[in-house]
Structure formats: C-alpha cells, structure tokens
Amino acid sequence: MAASLSCSPNPTLTRVTVSPRSSLSPTVPHFLKFLATTPFHPFRPLTARSQSSSFSFAAPRASAAADDKSSSTSTSFHGICYVVGDNIDTDQIIPAEYLTLVPSKPDEYEKLGSYALIGLPDSYTTRFVEPNETKTKYSIVIGGYNFGCGSSREHAPVALGAAGVAAVVAESYARIFFRNSVATGEVYPLESEGRICEECKTGDTLTIELAESRLINHTTGKEYRLKPIGDAGPVIEAGGIFDYARKTGMIPSISA
Amino acid sequence: MASSTIAPTPPSFILNKDLGFSTFSRQSVSSIPKCRRTISKKICSVTAPHQLERKPSTTGSVKTGMTMTEKILARASEKAQLSPGENVWVNIDVLMTHDVCGPGSIGIFKKEFGQKAKVWDREKIVVIPDHYLFTSDERANRNVDILRDFCMEQNIKYFYDIKDLSNFKANPDFKGVCHIALAQEGHCRPGEVLLGTDSHTCTAGAFGQFATGIGITDAGLVFGTGKLLLKVPPTPRFVMDGEMPNYLLAKDLILHIIGEISLSGATYKSMEFVGTTVESLTMEERMTLCNMVVEAGAKNGVVPADSTTYKYLEDKTSVAYEPVYSDQQARFLSEYRFDVTKLEPLVAKPHSPDNRALARECKDVKIDRVYIGSCTGGKTEDFVAAAKVFQASGKKVKVPTFLVPATQKVWMDIYGLQVPGSGGKTCSQIFEEAGCDTPASPTCGACMGGPGDTYARINEPMVCVSTTNRNFPGRMGHKEGQVYLASPYTAAASALTGYVTDPREFLQ
C-alpha cells in the first residue's frame, strides 16, 4: 500500500541529459549507476543497452544542489542488481551501532552509505559494499516481501541511497521504510508483481523503465511488470513532502 | 468535552499508599502539563471526568460507523467522516523524539524552515534521550548535546536531559526509555494523536490514542507545522476473552497474535484489542500488547480507554482529554477471536518475532544469558513478574541475568516495591538472592545492540532469552547471536534452568 509519502528532490531521478562524467567524489571507482532520461520511445532491442555505452554518473545526493524539481515521467534506471530475501529488516540494512551517524551531516551521510546492508548474515557471500569503500556497485536492490521491516530508522533508506542505490524493487514493503524512502528521495521504492527475487541473481544487469512499469533483466533476457507507484505519486511529483505541503498551501513558501 | 482537571498538588497528593512511593517519585510535579484551556483557579474535579465507558458516537449525524482509529484521525483532521485509504493532514498533539533520530530531525527542520525557525508549539514536543547514553562513544554523547542545544534554543518544555553519565540518579530531569517515560509523565492521553521518531511509539495506543512511529523527515515537517499527512488505516479487530491464566502475560498474547498473522499480517493496519481479557489487563500490560504491533507491520494499535486508563492517568496529567470508541456499526477489516485460557507460554525463536513456538517445546535449547529490559519488558510490572518466578523457585540463576529497568521510576520501584507473596521483600532483594546482575542504569540498552561498550550487548555467538521486541539477525549485537523473545515469566524461568523454560515449572 502506498501511504502518503514524500520525496525530496532527487537529482539522479530528474537529470534530463546524459551529461559527461562530472567531477565527482573520487571514491566511486566502481560506481556504475547511470541515469538516462529519454523521451518516451517504443521498446528498444535488448542488445542496444549494453554496459559499455556511455553513462552519466549521478551526483552524490548529499552534495547535490537543489536541482530542477520537475519530475520527469520517463525515467529509467540501469545497473547491476543485488538480490536479498524476505523480511530484510532495518537492523540488516543498517545495524543499530551505526545510528549515531546523523544523516543531515554530509560526512556522516557518506559513512552511513559505507555500512549499507552490512548487517546481512554471512550466508550472503557477496558483500554489498566492499571493505574500505563507501559506495556500492549495485544500483538496484531486489527484495522479497516485507522489505525494510523493523525500526522506523530513516538511516535505512538513507544508507542505501548514500551507498548509491537508485531503486529497490521488492515484492512488498514495511510501511515506515516505504514512507521514509519516498520522504527522503533516497531510493525509489518499487513493487514487483511476483517474486523476481527468485528470478534474478546478484550481478544481473537490469533496466527499469519507470513510465512503462517494466523491469528488464538483460542477463536472463526476461521482463517483468512492476506495480504503479500509487498514492505516493502526487507527493513525489510535487518534489517531496515539504514541496507537497507548500504546493497544497499547508506551509508557506520557504524564503531561501 | 471533558471538564478540566486541575491538579492542586499539595505534597501529599502524590502518595500512592499501596505502593509506598516516596515523594522522590514525583519530582516531575513541576512538569505536569497545564490544561489546554486558560487555567481556571477553580477545581472542577479530582478524578477522571468521564461518565460512560462505551457510547456510540454522538457527534451529529454520522452516516457510517467509524472505528476508534478512524474517529481519532477524523477529529484530528477536523473532518466529520473518514474512511480507510483517505489521506489527510492531521493535527498532532504530541511529537516525541530521542537521541538517535532527534539530531537528524532537527537538521531537516532547520534546513526546510530556516536556521532561525521556531517549532510549532514548545509544549507539544517531548525530547527524551534514551538509546545510547551510558557509553563512551563520542558521537552518541554528542547527539545528546545536539538535543540540548536545540531544546534550549527553542525553549522546549519537556526535555528529559542527562548530563552526568556516570550516575543517572544525579540528573533530576532524566527519565529513561521514551515510550515508558511518555506514559509515566502523563503525555499519553485517550483520543489524541501522538507521533514519535521510533517504531515502538505504537506503545501509547494502550491509552486509546492514535500513536505511530515516523521517520526523520516527517518529524522535521511536524516540528515546523504541527501536522502530518497520514493515510487512514483499516482496522482488524482482536477479541481476547477468558480469564488470564497466572502463567501468561501480555507478551505471550502479542507473540501469539504475531505468530498467527505473520510479520506483515497487519501492514498498514490498525490493530484494535478488545474483549474481557484486554479489559482485565493493567496499563503496563496493555502497553506491552500495543508495543509489538509494529512487529506485525501495523501502523498502530489501540485499546479502548476505560476506568483502568483513567485511574492510571489520575496522578499523571491534568490536561483534558476526550476518549473515543468504535461505533457499533463500524466496519472492521476482520475479526480474530482468542480464548486466552487455551494459550500457553510462548517464545519467538531466532530470527523473527513471528517464529512462534511453545516455550515447553524448546526446553532442550541451552541458553547463555537472559536479558530483562526495554520498553517491551522492562517496566515495573515486568520486573515484579520476574521476581515472582525467582521467589517461587528460591534457587539461583544458572546463567548471567541482566536487568535493565526502562526508567528511573522503574529502577526505584525495583528497590522500593514489595513483591506480593514474598514476605515483604523488594524486587531487588529477590534478584540479589537469585544471583542476577545488579539492576543497571535505565536505557534502551542492549535491546538493539548499540555501541560496542553497551551493557549486556551480545558480542559473540550465544543464545539469549530476552523480554525485548525483535530478534532479527544481529539485533542485540552479534550477527550470530540467537535471541528468543519471551515474557518476563518465561525469561526468569529460563534463567533458573539454563534452558528455555515454561514458567509453569515454577508458577503452578
């Protein structure tokens, strides 16, 4: 269920042009998150999207200036995915000992990213963020049901976003995590139809076409339908809960 | 509207003869919240000002019956009628935050409303440091400083500060675990809307109010506006009837329910608890029940207010409140019925709160320690319950048994209250005789692991029976720690044998 949600402007979602690689944090050598906003087009053959094509590197959210707030309706994500199971709770996403980090402080925000999913049991043999790194190479997380259950800690979607996750595609979400994801704009919380966590493997290359609610797994060649964003739509489109509040007259416009 | 109750507060007002409280326990007399209306010098009543316990809605022509939650949100959003699924801006009565999420919320507030912005109402915010206090972690200590700076700048009325970490008793304002402090300080009132930056804020639903956990960004918005956009949840009803057996506690009831409906069985829903059993529960037991609704994914939990509620609130708040009750014709999503006389003591096995099992079926599970504490199982009555089991046994515990009272009041009760049937012994005496660890400083403690030097944290693979609320991998520290969630009865019984143990071994 999509609760009333918000999404602060997320420049990686709204970047309009494929810009050349900008001078960004040098600590992202494996950062393979790209974002290309393309006009609506018919389905392109899978072979046209390969990892070797040029990409734009998204700016780390913490240092992003207030970007254009108009959310594009045709946005896609492309990258490799990391697959987790059911009931991934917030203690696995960001263990409690790291909660002394305050997300609104830029350097602590980056640190949170380095600990994303560090709480997963050792049965997950591939680490989400390599030791001594702050970013992950997996820009899409695939999950089962009840993703993000447990605590209300906003550090959970923040850690994922800070690490470089663009979107989570889960079978279902726990409510506070879903709400916080949209409120922060850190990750785009998408719902799959069915259990794609059983059909995708960590390392598969995926494309998500938001406007078409479609997920394409290039590695397996399969396609999946995603559920539409639902009630969160108006809030995301406004640019976040604060923007939504201003737009609907609940709070006056901020004087910068 | 209920008539306002003014607390005259002569020094003797605070004595509770049954429990033998000392006047120390009412240090916070100065912080009793004032009536919402202009203070009249006339005393209107000294007891809870409500006549009827259950009445249908009388607010004009109600076309469709509404549940408690729907009614509370309707009133708080100034709407005559609400249905599940509607998104409304709701006026917030109380916003709580603590040392983990407070600094982030403050950051968002200042960023969005301006560095010089003022909070919407300095009397409706309650700031309670409780999570990472007794630690040498510098960031944790700094986070409490951030709260203090903000409270001073904003002149926040209710800030339960702690400065001297070496001696919690040296801090006159300090309380402890936020959800228990909120209740003990009279901030939980029937019919109101309470939000907190913590998932277990749902605990306050025990008072017949709408209480739920929110994130940092939402809290930033509430700081500035006193409102939040909320979606009205549907209500499944849980009817519990029958006389509560003497070996069961509310913890067993909620573990049973979560095991029944699963971790996502109540996602986005409001769990309403009714029935003769629920009516027989004390406030603290009702709090335990509502505390863990979030473990089933629920948005909130509610117990209708009644004379038990009013009695509890008598000496804690003089703010007027008006309870609401579900209409006869209210539409519930579903109804679950339980005969509690048929239930048995339960545990939730690693690593999920819905991994329900009978305690007696786990009797071969050897354990390494027992933890009694947290908002779920660290209240006064939880410790009295554990003490009863130790007293009944007369023996010593076989494994390290950690006791972490939720608040300074609970700590004092452990040392001051006499346990019924023990011949005048206090909890602390019984715990000492049983060989438990000395009761520790009030805090959330090891419930969620915390910084590495947290007391009773699980730092290596081991098995722990705990009265806390979650047992996901790594919850209490080490990823391979195995946590069995249980009631205080079951936890104490397990401590005595060194194995997961059904408390009937000692309580029959």
Side-chain angles (χ1 to χ4, degrees):
Chain A
M1 159 171 156
S4 50
L5 303 153
S6 58
C7 174
S8 50
N10 181 340
T12 62
L13 290 181
T14 60
R15 200 163 292 256
V16 175
T17 53
V18 179
S19 53
R21 184 176 179 165
S22 38
S23 57
L24 294 171
S25 166
T27 61
V28 288
H30 305 296
F31 192 64
L32 286 179
K33 185 170 63 181
F34 353 88
L35 194 65
T37 305
T38 56
F40 181 77
H41 56 270
F43 171 68
R44 291 197 299 278
L46 292 176
T47 51
R49 279 197 169 269
S50 67
Q51 265 185 293
S52 56
S53 36
S54 63
F55 314 113
S56 70
F57 281 62
R61 285 177 186 80
S63 57
D67 232 56
D68 59 286
K69 302 200 178 189
S70 58
S71 63
S72 163
T73 50
S74 44
T75 309
S76 55
F77 304 103
H78 182 86
I80 55 174
C81 71
Y82 189 90
V83 182
V84 294
D86 300 312
N87 293 317
I88 297 297
D89 76 291
T90 46
D91 278 290
Q92 292 179 71
I93 298 175
I94 185 79
E97 63 192 284
Y98 305 113
L99 298 184
T100 50
L101 296 162
V102 176
S104 50
K105 293 180 185 292
D107 54 320
E108 297 187 17
Y109 170 90
E110 294 294 331
K111 267 219 173 75
L112 272 175
S114 68
Y115 296 122
L117 288 173
I118 204 173
L120 287 174
D122 295 336
S123 49
Y124 287 86
T125 47
T126 313
R127 270 192 63 148
F128 187 67
V129 179
E130 296 297 326
N132 301 322
E133 304 262 333
T134 52
K135 301 283 180 209
T136 179
K137 54 180 187 256
Y138 308 96
S139 59
I140 299 172
V141 172
I142 306 285
Y145 56 76
N146 208 19
F147 187 87
C149 61
S151 162
S152 66
R153 62 190 72 155
E154 205 166 276
H155 307 68
V158 165
L160 290 174
V165 176
V168 178
V169 184
E171 196 186 333
S172 66
Y173 292 92
R175 69 159 276 267
I176 312 182
F177 177 88
F178 186 76
R179 193 183 167 106
N180 287 343
S181 295
V182 180
T184 54
E186 290 290 344
V187 292
Y188 215 101
L190 296 162
E191 273 180 274
S192 58
E193 302 220 351
R195 292 177 65 72
I196 61 169
C197 54
E198 283 169 9
E199 309 226 354
C200 299
K201 283 204 187 38
T202 297
D204 286 355
T205 306
L206 306 183
T207 298
I208 298 173
E209 299 281 1
L210 268 191
E212 296 157 37
S213 294
R214 225 160 29 100
L215 183 146
I216 306 140
N217 185 330
H218 301 289
T219 310
T220 62
K222 287 192 179 166
E223 263 191 49
Y224 305 92
R225 285 215 59 78
L226 299 175
K227 293 189 186 169
I229 195 70
D231 280 0
V235 177
I236 295 178
E237 266 164 54
I241 189 74
F242 280 98
D243 296 292
Y244 182 78
R246 290 183 190 110
K247 187 172 164 184
T248 54
M250 291 307 297
I251 58 181
S253 306
I254 196 170
S255 48
Chain B
M1 273 296 275
S3 52
S4 49
T5 309
I6 320 274
T9 65
S12 59
F13 165 78
I14 47 189
L15 280 179
N16 181 327
K17 293 191 176 56
D18 292 336
L19 302 178
F21 273 124
S22 71
T23 55
F24 178 70
S25 68
R26 293 303 294 161
Q27 247 188 355
S28 54
V29 154
S30 56
S31 63
I32 288 181
K34 295 195 177 71
C35 271
R36 276 201 218 100
R37 296 196 284 275
T38 323
I39 300 216
S40 144
K41 302 297 177 197
K42 182 167 67 97
I43 295 174
C44 306
S45 80
V46 290
T47 57
H50 305 281
Q51 298 84 35
L52 300 174
E53 300 217 337
R54 300 186 93 83
K55 56 181 193 276
S57 165
T58 52
T59 54
S61 59
V62 176
K63 297 194 191 72
T64 320
M66 290 194 283
T67 65
M68 264 179 80
T69 292
E70 289 157 23
K71 277 187 174 175
I72 294 171
L73 292 178
R75 192 165 73 187
S77 58
E78 295 163 52
K79 297 211 176 333
Q81 182 79 35
L82 275 185
S83 303
E86 290 189 57
N87 288 289
V88 286
W89 285 96
V90 175
N91 296 322
I92 310 305
D93 293 292
V94 177
L95 172 68
M96 179 279 294
T97 191
H98 51 49
D99 53 303
V100 167
C101 294
S105 308
I106 292 166
I108 301 252
F109 167 67
K110 286 181 176 274
K111 173 175 157 246
E112 295 289 343
F113 290 96
Q115 289 297 321
K116 295 210 187 330
K118 292 284 171 224
V119 297
W120 103 95
D121 189 326
R122 58 171 283 273
E123 298 195 8
K124 293 192 175 170
I125 297 169
V126 187
V127 180
I128 313 182
D130 64 353
H131 275 58
Y132 302 152
L133 300 179
F134 308 104
T135 169
S136 56
D137 185 304
E138 279 177 10
R139 263 201 310 261
N141 299 334
R142 169 210 66 181
N143 288 344
V144 181
D145 293 340
I146 293 177
L147 294 183
R148 186 176 310 111
D149 292 342
F150 183 71
C151 288
M152 280 174 33
E153 168 200 300
Q154 300 281 337
N155 197 16
I156 298 291
K157 186 166 181 183
Y158 304 109
F159 173 44
Y160 300 134
D161 195 4
I162 180 165
K163 289 187 179 133
D164 186 344
L165 303 178
S166 63
N167 176 13
F168 77 89
K169 285 170 271 170
N171 301 278
D173 297 323
F174 175 65
K175 308 294 170 203
V177 174
C178 56
H179 309 301
I180 311 309
L182 280 174
Q184 291 178 334
E185 297 307 311
H187 295 297
C188 302
R189 293 173 290 261
E192 290 194 2
V193 175
L194 184 150
L195 300 181
T197 57
D198 191 89
S199 58
H200 292 110
T201 307
C202 49
T203 305
F207 290 85
Q209 64 176 143
F210 178 89
T212 193
I214 58 173
I216 284 172
T217 301
D218 281 338
L221 181 64
V222 179
F223 267 139
T225 63
K227 296 178 200 293
L228 193 64
L229 189 61
L230 291 172
K231 189 162 180 169
V232 181
T235 303
R237 211 176 208 195
F238 296 84
V239 187
M240 284 175 276
D241 287 313
E243 192 182 324
M244 191 79 155
N246 73 332
Y247 45 83
L248 284 190
L249 290 170
K251 180 69 173 278
D252 296 295
L253 301 182
I254 190 65
L255 283 180
H256 180 75
I257 292 174
I258 295 170
E260 196 72 20
I261 66 176
S262 92
L263 281 190
S264 48
T267 300
Y268 282 109
K269 298 173 188 148
S270 171
M271 294 173 71
E272 187 171 309
F273 300 105
V274 294
T276 55
T277 317
V278 177
E279 288 163 27
S280 74
L281 294 178
T282 61
M283 283 316 298
E284 289 199 351
E285 284 280 84
R286 295 178 189 190
M287 286 163 66
T288 305
L289 199 62
C290 291
N291 173 279
M292 285 185 71
V293 301
V294 63
E295 268 56 78
K299 186 154 182 157
N300 70 309
V302 278
V303 174
D306 58 14
S307 52
T308 306
T309 323
Y310 312 141
K311 184 116 183 64
Y312 182 93
L313 289 174
E314 250 173 35
D315 62 343
K316 294 181 181 63
T317 182
S318 52
V319 174
Y321 54 83
E322 186 176 337
V324 297
Y325 302 98
S326 292
D327 292 328
Q328 293 274 8
Q329 331 89 280
R331 282 170 303 195
F332 294 94
L333 199 61
S334 48
E335 189 171 276
Y336 297 82
R337 293 194 155 262
F338 301 97
D339 175 357
V340 304
T341 61
K342 306 244 176 359
L343 299 180
E344 299 183 65
L346 295 172
V347 293
K349 298 190 293 185
H351 298 273
S352 172
D354 70 354
N355 194 1
R356 178 183 63 175
L358 293 172
R360 60 175 167 82
E361 284 178 352
C362 298
K363 62 178 173 27
D364 295 326
V365 176
K366 193 163 191 307
I367 67 175
D368 299 300
R369 58 168 54 176
V370 166
Y371 185 94
I372 302 178
S374 83
C375 52
T376 316
K379 306 182 286 299
T380 299
E381 290 175 22
D382 299 313
F383 285 104
V384 171
K388 278 191 189 156
V389 174
F390 291 132
Q391 176 66 19
S393 150
K395 302 266 194 331
K396 285 193 181 298
V397 295
K398 296 219 163 66
V399 293
T401 302
F402 302 99
L403 311 170
V404 185
T407 65
Q408 69 358 337
K409 279 193 183 147
V410 175
W411 187 94
M412 281 161 31
D413 288 344
I414 290 178
Y415 281 91
L417 274 187
Q418 291 176 5
V419 177
S422 69
K425 289 191 210 164
T426 61
C427 290
S428 55
Q429 287 169 323
I430 295 172
F431 292 146
E432 195 179 328
E433 283 169 13
C436 302
D437 259 41
T438 310
S441 300
T443 173
C444 300
C447 170
M448 52 195 295
D453 61 350
T454 303
Y455 175 74
R457 188 183 195 275
I458 294 184
N459 294 319
E460 49 194 59
M462 60 166 75
V463 183
C464 174
V465 173
S466 172
T467 63
T468 55
N469 45 57
R470 293 194 188 118
N471 58 350
F472 296 116
R475 171 70 181 174
M476 288 186 80
H478 198 280
K479 268 188 219 184
E480 285 155 59
Q482 296 191 53
V483 177
Y484 286 74
L485 302 177
S487 77
Y489 280 161
T490 306
S494 305
L496 289 166
T497 63
Y499 291 81
V500 175
T501 303
D502 188 308
R504 284 174 288 189
E505 300 286 317
F506 301 99
L507 281 181
Q508 292 289 38

